[in-house]
Amino acid sequence: MPIILLKILLFGHLGLLIEVWFTALHSLIFKKDLKMPGRTYLWMIGIYGIGGWSLGLLRDQFTHWFLFIPAAVSYIFAMEFFSGLAIKKIIGTCPWDYGQARFGLAGLVRFDYIPFWLLLALGFDMLADKMTQMIEAAGRIVQ
């Protein structure tokens, strides 16, 4: 299996896991729900996967992290917005609905989530090189 596809799958599943944790903690903190239900959508595997992989390509265009950060957050917002629009066109609704959010845009993105997207971008960026090393090492073991 090509390294790019493995990265997309790994970033996709990691994104799902992070989103379940995020929504579970949100339920606990803001809704006081001790059951901490977490949720995500299978659509997100492709969105997180392609997003995580392509953030690495974006990172390669910058020499300093302080230039990469605003570009990465803007890129994540664009990914979320346009993937939400595409899903809405395909199935008639967007799985996530930020329509009631105070700092939302068209119900598809929330600007108050900037700190979380920033952390995700930094985390994915730090993992990208390690992921490549692990995949290459695993390939050598299998061969």
Side-chain angles (χ1 to χ4, degrees):
M1 182 177 294
I3 288 178
I4 292 172
L5 183 57
L6 281 172
K7 281 186 175 183
I8 289 171
L9 289 172
L10 289 170
F11 277 126
H13 286 84
L14 178 61
L16 288 182
L17 181 62
I18 291 168
E19 188 165 332
V20 169
W21 274 90
F22 179 83
T23 56
L25 291 173
H26 186 275
S27 296
L28 176 66
I29 294 167
F30 296 105
K31 297 178 183 176
K32 309 296 186 227
D33 188 345
L34 295 176
K35 294 182 285 183
M36 295 190 299
R39 61 184 294 179
T40 190
Y41 313 96
L42 288 180
W43 292 98
M44 300 308 293
I45 292 174
I47 296 166
Y48 282 122
I50 292 169
W53 167 73
S54 58
L55 268 175
L57 300 177
L58 180 66
R59 176 66 175 98
D60 293 343
Q61 305 306 310
F62 294 91
T63 54
H64 297 288
W65 66 269
F66 60 86
L67 297 173
F68 167 67
I69 297 304
V73 171
S74 298
Y75 180 73
I76 289 170
F77 271 105
M79 284 281 296
E80 183 177 30
F81 185 83
F82 289 111
S83 62
L85 275 179
I87 293 169
K88 191 173 185 176
K89 187 170 181 90
I90 294 168
I91 66 172
T93 187
C94 180
W96 57 93
D97 181 10
Y98 300 142
Q100 302 301 317
R102 184 174 177 195
F103 300 106
L105 176 64
L108 299 172
V109 295
R110 289 182 59 164
F111 293 104
D112 55 330
Y113 281 2
I114 286 175
F116 303 109
W117 291 130
L118 170 68
L119 290 172
L120 183 74
L122 290 173
F124 274 15
D125 184 53
M126 290 186 320
L127 283 174
D129 290 334
K130 298 289 183 202
M131 196 179 290
T132 300
Q133 292 170 359
M134 289 172 25
I135 291 169
E136 288 173 349
R140 286 191 297 271
I141 292 169
V142 171
Q143 294 173 357

